[in-house]
Amino acid sequence: MMMAARAMHGEGKLFSLTLLLVLELASSASAAHESGPVGPYNVSFDMNTTEDYIVVVEAPTQGVTSDGINFTRDNLTVDGSDHFIFLILTRYDVPMLANTTANAYIVWDALINAGADEPAIYQPLIDGKPGVLGNFRFERQDLGGGRYEEGDLIVAASYSPDGREYEDGIYRGNTDCRVISTFPWEVVRDMLNTMHIEVPDQ
């Protein structure tokens, strides 16, 4: 009787462990892996969300900076039923300043233009490169020109996937990657943690 009870107890542990493993696999299986070309880049990331969405890659556009530097811009949009992510890849003809100060300015400007008053700014690694991440939540329903509701989260991030320190000690890159999102933080966090951009040879 004791042996049977012990065997059943052992089987119960095995069943619990198996159930836990199945639940973990089901949880990780819910994250959709997105991968494909965006202009000359190969972009991949995970979308850990149950929200319906589509991924749209736009045709490239060209422009010139105020300093006369030519650039090409490739955009990808994750268009959800309630949220969005904009991923903007800008390739300049010459290496541009890509240190944390430059990225912080880009993030700050994006969030201020979205309606933030004082966004929180952080400096994580993104895709293994130094980047800047910022966010804020709307506190009043009138912020954002009526496009957002109180408590909505806006996240912006910026980094250079081909950034490196040059001989003069300044960190530059030909490509700037910007991300702006209204998805919940857990979704944006997982997307940024899994994002990888393969840059074509110069």
Side-chain angles (χ1 to χ4, degrees), residues 11-143:
E11 286 173 6
K13 278 187 177 175
L14 182 61
F15 176 77
S16 298
L17 184 62
T18 305
L19 180 61
L20 182 63
L21 185 60
V22 168
L23 289 175
E24 285 178 355
L25 288 173
S27 172
S28 62
S30 67
H33 183 71
E34 302 295 343
S35 180
V38 180
Y41 307 95
N42 283 319
V43 177
S44 64
F45 55 86
D46 290 345
M47 284 297 294
N48 191 12
T49 181
T50 57
E51 181 177 328
D52 290 335
Y53 67 86
I54 59 170
V55 177
V56 179
V57 177
E58 300 174 19
T61 59
Q62 280 78 36
V64 182
T65 69
S66 58
D67 296 330
I69 298 169
N70 294 320
F71 65 84
T72 301
R73 185 161 286 157
D74 293 282
N75 296 342
L76 176 150
T77 301
V78 178
D79 192 3
S81 51
D82 296 312
H83 304 94
F84 66 80
I85 294 175
F86 296 143
L87 191 152
I88 303 154
L89 289 162
T90 306
R91 183 178 177 88
Y92 298 95
D93 282 356
V94 299
M96 303 288 281
L97 189 63
N99 59 17
T100 52
T101 302
N103 285 312
Y105 175 81
I106 291 168
V107 168
W108 183 272
D109 189 57
L111 293 176
I112 293 295
N113 286 335
D117 44 6
E118 288 192 25
I121 301 291
Y122 308 94
Q123 296 180 9
L125 288 178
I126 303 174
D127 196 9
K129 301 282 188 174
V132 171
L133 171 74
N135 68 67
F136 78 99
R137 286 188 187 278
F138 288 105
E139 294 181 0
R140 298 188 307 278
Q141 199 149 354
D142 60 340
L143 284 178

Side-chain angles (χ1 to χ4, degrees), residues 150-168:
E150 187 173 351
D152 279 357
L153 176 72
I154 307 290
V155 174
S158 178
Y159 83 105
S160 176
D162 57 6
R164 64 181 178 87
E165 189 173 301
Y166 280 69
E167 294 77 11
D168 57 6

